[in-house]
């Protein structure tokens, strides 16, 4: 086993600023992944809801005059399904953007780590010039600044995801009240009661699934926002520290 | 990381950096070179990103980083230049990056913002300071299809990239130079047979390089050849059957 110099050992021990950041960043990226994974079911749920609304409309048609209110409710459901499809499209764009930003963060992290190690090795080396340390620190600071910018964009895109989650929540609560109203209509629909009740029960089941999906996704989004914010703070602290050392040469 | 001076005449210097004891075992050992002359410096195959931290720390003990005016990549491999985006951040923005025209678009995969000076197949010359001319000598298919070596006629040094590379086991070499050519062969043979693809290209390269006055041949892996070991290497490589991987397909 090769003998490591004291300087190298020190550099290894000290290259921890970036390791700490790295830990949080992978947590952040994990949360983003979790959020999009949860939303992955939106597709199927929206399609189920669409088919249900078609079947409900047929049932309402068969019920004639007794199905009039249900028919109106199912049309409203169809609008909600369209709304879901629109959100889904937007979510796709956001997912692409978020993953692109995440990969930028990963690349910047790798560079941060390498510049930090370089700066520490230079510092550990008594023969190195002072300007060499400044060069490495300055490169570290540049990447850090870039990473803070990327984290800002990432936070924007996670917030946009949060807004979509809220929009889905609205669709869910409206679907819930439609299900309740269909159940009410069912009780006075005579021979059609059973059919309408099945529609309302199925709808409620879908609503529950959507709600669970939203809960999972919102939890991940909330955590991602918190982690992004704390990472950004760490980045800014680092930049201030380097600024205090007059590395940045403003 | 060790630094050995290969040539030192006034401001004209050749430095070799390698044999870093802290290098992780999984990372193939490389030698990085710097040629300096009159306030200009050229990095030859600055290495993979894993090598960057110790390399920056070592190089800045020898030269001012602001003096780096050029970065030369013999070919596209990650051990040659995946550190490029890092070097570009610490070097002067005007630093030129030389690489085969074949590889600019590929190397952009690890540094999309880099602007390259594409080396044509025939090679080219680069001035370093007012009286040092570096000749970029074509060495295509040895092993990379777009591959160059660097010859400095004044220092009589040929930087030969992967040609002459040796996988020297840790502890087997005491310095940076080949001490005994015969016992060095086992560290080179398998590598050259398998990595170097073309006997025809090898013949053309040996013919071209034999016309140069070379006192040292400095490869990107292993040890530097000096004096009679240079013609010895040329003779040895001339008799080797290259492209051994073909046998695996013929089976
Ligand atoms: Fe190579
Ligand atoms: Fe190599």
């Amino acid at each position: 086993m090769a003998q490591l110099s004291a300087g190298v050992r020190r550099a290894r021990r000290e290259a921890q600023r970036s390791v700490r950041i790295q830990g949080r960043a992978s947590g952040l990226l994990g949360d983003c992944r979790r959020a999009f994974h949860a939303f992955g079911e939106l597709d199927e749920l929206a399609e189920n809801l669409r088919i249900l609304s078609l079947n409900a409309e047929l049932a309402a048609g068969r019920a004639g005059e007794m199905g009039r209110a249900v028919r109106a409710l199912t049309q409203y459901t169809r609008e909600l399904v369209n709304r879901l499809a629109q959100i889904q499209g937007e979510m796709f764009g956001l997912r692409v953007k978020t993953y692109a930003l995440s990969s930028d963060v990963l690349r910047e992290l790798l560079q941060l780590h390498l510049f930090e190690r370089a700066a520490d090795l230079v510092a550990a080396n008594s023969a190195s010039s002072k300007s060499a340390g400044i060069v490495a620190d300055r490169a570290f600071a540049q990447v850090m600044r870039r990473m803070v910018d990327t984290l800002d964009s990432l936070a924007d895109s996670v917030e946009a995801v949060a807004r979509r989650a809220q929009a889905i929540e609205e669709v869910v609560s409206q679907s819930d009240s439609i299900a309740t109203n269909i159940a009410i209509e069912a009780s006075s629909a005579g021979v059609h009661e059973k059919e309408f009740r099945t529609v309302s029960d199925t709808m409620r089941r879908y609503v529950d699934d959507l709600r669970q999906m939203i809960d999972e996704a919102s939890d991940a989004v909330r955590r991602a926002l918190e982690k992004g914010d704390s990472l950004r703070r760490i980045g800014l602290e680092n930049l201030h520290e380097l600024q205090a050392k007059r590395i940045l040469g403003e | 990381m060790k630094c050995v001076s290969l040539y030192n005449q006034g401001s004209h210097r050749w430095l070799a950096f390698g044999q870093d004891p802290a290098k992780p075992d999984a990372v193939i050992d490389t030698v990085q070179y710097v040629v300096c002359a009159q306030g200009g410096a050229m990095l030859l195959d600055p290495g993979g990103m894993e090598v960057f931290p110790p390399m920056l720390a070592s190089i800045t003990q020898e030269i001012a980083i602001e003096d780096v005016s050029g970065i030369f990549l013999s070919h596209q491999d990650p051990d040659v230049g995946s550190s490029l985006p890092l070097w570009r951040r610490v070097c002067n923005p005007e630093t030129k990056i030389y690489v085969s025209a074949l590889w600019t678009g590929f190397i952009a995969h690890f540094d999309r913002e880099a602007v390259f000076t594409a080396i044509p197949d025939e090679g080219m010359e680069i001035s370093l300071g007012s009286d040092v001319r570096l000749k970029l000598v074509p060495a295509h298919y040895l092993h990379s299809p777009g591959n160059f070596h660097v010859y400095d006629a004044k220092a009589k040094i040929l930087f030969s990239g992967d040609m002459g590379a040796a996988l020297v086991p840790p502890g087997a070499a005491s310095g940076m130079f080949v001490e005994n050519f015969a016992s060095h062969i086992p560290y080179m043979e398998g590598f050259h047979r398998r990595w170097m693809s073309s006997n025809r290209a090898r013949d053309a390269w040996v013919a071209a390089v034999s016309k140069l006055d070379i006192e040292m041949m400095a490869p990107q892996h292993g040890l530097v050849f000096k004096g009679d070991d240079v013609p010895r290497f040329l003779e040895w490589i001339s008799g080797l059957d290259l492209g051994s991987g073909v046998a695996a397909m013929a089976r």
Side-chain angles (χ1 to χ4, degrees):
Chain A
M1 183 62 213
Q3 286 287 309
L4 301 185
S5 73
V8 170
R9 275 199 307 274
R10 209 190 113 226
R12 287 222 168 143
R13 207 173 45 241
E14 288 187 354
Q16 272 167 9
R17 228 169 356 168
S18 57
V19 170
R20 220 179 66 198
I21 297 173
Q22 205 145 12
R24 278 166 212 235
S26 43
L28 163 65
L29 303 186
D31 287 333
C32 291
R33 247 193 329 265
R34 215 153 53 81
F36 287 117
H37 184 76
F39 284 127
E41 289 163 35
L42 187 56
D43 224 357
E44 200 184 322
L45 286 171
E47 177 62 7
N48 286 344
L49 206 54
R50 192 182 66 84
I51 293 170
L52 179 67
S53 73
L54 286 175
N55 287 335
E57 204 167 351
L58 289 174
R62 283 193 295 274
E65 200 48 33
M66 270 180 185
R68 183 204 286 246
V70 172
R71 201 155 45 236
L73 287 167
T74 58
Q75 266 157 19
Y76 191 41
T77 308
R78 203 90 58 74
E79 274 167 41
L80 291 179
V81 169
N82 290 342
R83 178 85 190 99
L84 277 184
Q86 191 200 337
I87 296 171
Q88 210 184 325
E90 290 163 356
M91 203 71 104
F92 179 76
L94 280 172
R95 190 174 60 197
V96 171
K97 191 173 159 208
T98 306
Y99 281 138
L101 288 167
S102 303
S103 66
D104 285 347
V105 171
L106 289 175
R107 192 181 47 218
E108 283 148 9
L109 272 172
L110 176 64
Q111 294 200 352
L112 272 184
H113 184 60
L114 292 164
F115 283 127
E116 180 170 48
R117 254 168 65 198
D120 290 340
L121 281 170
V122 169
N125 227 319
S126 53
S128 288
S129 66
K130 191 164 173 284
S131 70
I134 292 176
V135 161
D137 273 343
R138 190 176 292 152
F140 181 87
Q142 277 172 1
V143 179
M144 185 63 95
R145 191 175 286 164
R146 195 188 263 211
M147 194 173 86
V148 168
D149 288 347
T150 313
L151 283 168
D152 283 347
S153 310
L154 191 61
D156 287 349
S157 111
V158 174
E159 263 160 24
V161 173
R163 281 197 297 278
R164 301 307 182 284
Q166 225 157 32
I168 297 175
E169 225 166 74
E170 280 159 26
V171 170
V172 170
S173 75
Q174 280 158 1
S175 304
D176 197 14
S177 58
I178 290 173
T180 306
N181 280 314
I182 293 177
I184 292 167
E185 290 299 320
S187 58
S188 58
V191 290
H192 302 286
E193 176 178 351
K194 200 175 160 219
E195 217 171 357
F196 288 168
R197 199 165 293 284
T198 308
V199 170
S200 114
D201 288 349
T202 312
M203 192 145 178
R204 185 136 302 135
R205 222 176 49 237
Y206 293 161
V207 163
D208 287 345
D209 288 348
L210 272 166
R211 202 158 264 153
Q212 201 188 334
M213 182 199 83
I214 285 291
D215 284 349
E216 273 172 41
S218 301
D219 179 61
V221 165
R222 190 175 45 75
R223 282 168 198 270
L225 282 171
E226 281 168 11
K227 286 196 185 97
D229 193 50
S230 101
L231 256 176
R232 197 175 170 279
R233 265 203 314 274
I234 295 176
L236 287 175
E237 272 165 27
N238 268 290
L239 282 175
H240 289 149
E241 235 171 75
L242 289 165
Q243 221 148 19
K245 278 167 73 185
R246 296 175 191 280
I247 294 299
L248 298 175
E250 264 96 351
Chain B
M1 180 173 283
K2 239 196 244 179
C3 170
V4 171
S5 168
L6 303 183
Y7 180 85
N8 193 346
Q9 286 294 318
S11 67
H12 186 191
R13 296 197 291 160
W14 272 75
L15 301 168
F17 297 86
Q19 299 178 354
D20 182 9
K23 176 188 76 64
D25 291 339
V27 174
I28 188 169
D29 198 22
T30 52
V31 189
Q32 292 70 233
Y33 298 90
V34 178
V35 198
C36 331
Q38 278 184 337
M42 173 87 90
L43 309 185
L44 308 182
D45 286 4
M49 46 187 172
E50 188 56 42
V51 183
F52 173 80
M55 187 56 196
L56 181 71
S58 306
I59 201 176
T60 49
Q61 290 183 55
E62 304 294 334
I63 63 163
I65 202 75
E66 308 83 72
D67 287 349
V68 174
S69 52
I71 297 175
F72 166 83
L73 306 180
S74 62
H75 60 291
Q76 83 291 2
D77 274 350
D79 63 325
V80 164
S82 59
S83 59
L84 182 63
L86 304 166
W87 285 107
R88 279 202 317 102
R89 273 193 188 281
V90 294
C91 292
N92 198 316
E94 277 90 62
T95 302
K96 287 214 153 125
I97 303 151
Y98 300 93
V99 70
S100 159
L102 256 64
W103 292 125
T104 53
F106 292 72
I107 293 174
H109 274 276
F110 46 70
D111 191 356
R112 63 181 174 197
E113 283 150 29
V115 177
F116 299 100
T117 301
I119 312 169
D121 271 357
E122 309 72 50
M124 61 191 277
E125 274 196 6
I126 307 168
S127 296
L128 202 59
S130 62
D131 57 1
V132 174
R133 311 270 306 155
L134 298 175
K135 197 171 144 84
L136 309 187
V137 182
H140 308 310
Y141 306 108
L142 302 168
H143 65 92
S144 166
N147 192 39
F148 290 93
H149 297 165
V150 178
Y151 177 63
D152 178 342
K154 212 166 165 210
K156 298 183 183 172
I157 297 177
L158 176 73
F159 165 67
S160 60
D162 281 334
M163 194 53 134
L167 307 172
V168 182
S174 53
M176 279 267 197
F177 294 97
V178 175
E179 303 281 353
N180 181 321
F181 189 83
S183 57
H184 191 60
I185 290 177
Y187 306 143
M188 305 191 285
E189 187 164 345
F191 178 88
H192 286 81
R193 279 192 197 282
R194 179 64 183 85
W195 282 87
M196 300 297 162
S197 51
S198 160
N199 289 339
R200 248 176 77 205
R202 180 266 325 272
D203 291 344
W205 177 78
V206 169
V209 164
S210 299
K211 289 182 207 144
L212 305 173
D213 184 7
I214 301 171
E215 249 160 40
M216 273 185 212
M217 187 179 115
Q220 192 227 353
H221 306 274
L223 304 173
V224 176
F225 302 84
K226 62 179 174 194
D228 290 340
D229 282 338
V230 176
R232 238 172 242 139
F233 175 82
L234 295 179
E235 196 190 322
W236 172 78
I237 192 74
S238 296
L240 207 63
D241 192 24
L242 308 180
S244 70
V246 174
M249 298 182 285
R251 218 169 279 152

